Amino acid sequence: MIRLYPDQGFGFLETADRREIYFHRSSVLDGGFDRLTIGVEVRFAEELGEDGPQASTVQPVGESGHHELPEPELL
């Protein structure tokens, strides 16, 4: 996540090849737009929108099954 405009409901992601991709609030899974912050790593699908490439199904890495396992308890 490199730029975020929460009041306007959109932002820009940086791809692995350093391109900027637009995304809209509605593209963030599980209503998570308000939890996004600059610098957070996300996974997304890239698709062609009316004005060029855009991101869909945006999801912060670490959500939905990508959590670290807890440390085992010592008895």
Side-chain angles (χ1 to χ4, degrees), residues 10-69:
F10 70 93
F12 291 87
L13 309 171
E14 185 176 81
T15 64
D17 60 355
R18 305 191 61 79
R19 294 178 297 124
E20 288 188 19
I21 304 289
Y22 166 87
F23 73 97
H24 187 266
R25 159 187 292 280
S26 62
S27 298
V28 182
L29 297 179
D30 301 321
F33 181 82
D34 293 327
R35 295 188 306 268
L36 294 177
T37 58
I38 299 295
V40 71
E41 185 178 348
V42 297
R43 65 181 73 212
F44 62 94
E46 184 176 336
E47 59 185 37
L48 187 57
E50 290 181 24
D51 297 321
Q54 65 183 36
S56 67
T57 60
V58 177
Q59 181 179 31
V61 173
E63 288 191 1
S64 186
H66 297 281
H67 300 284
E68 291 184 31
L69 295 174

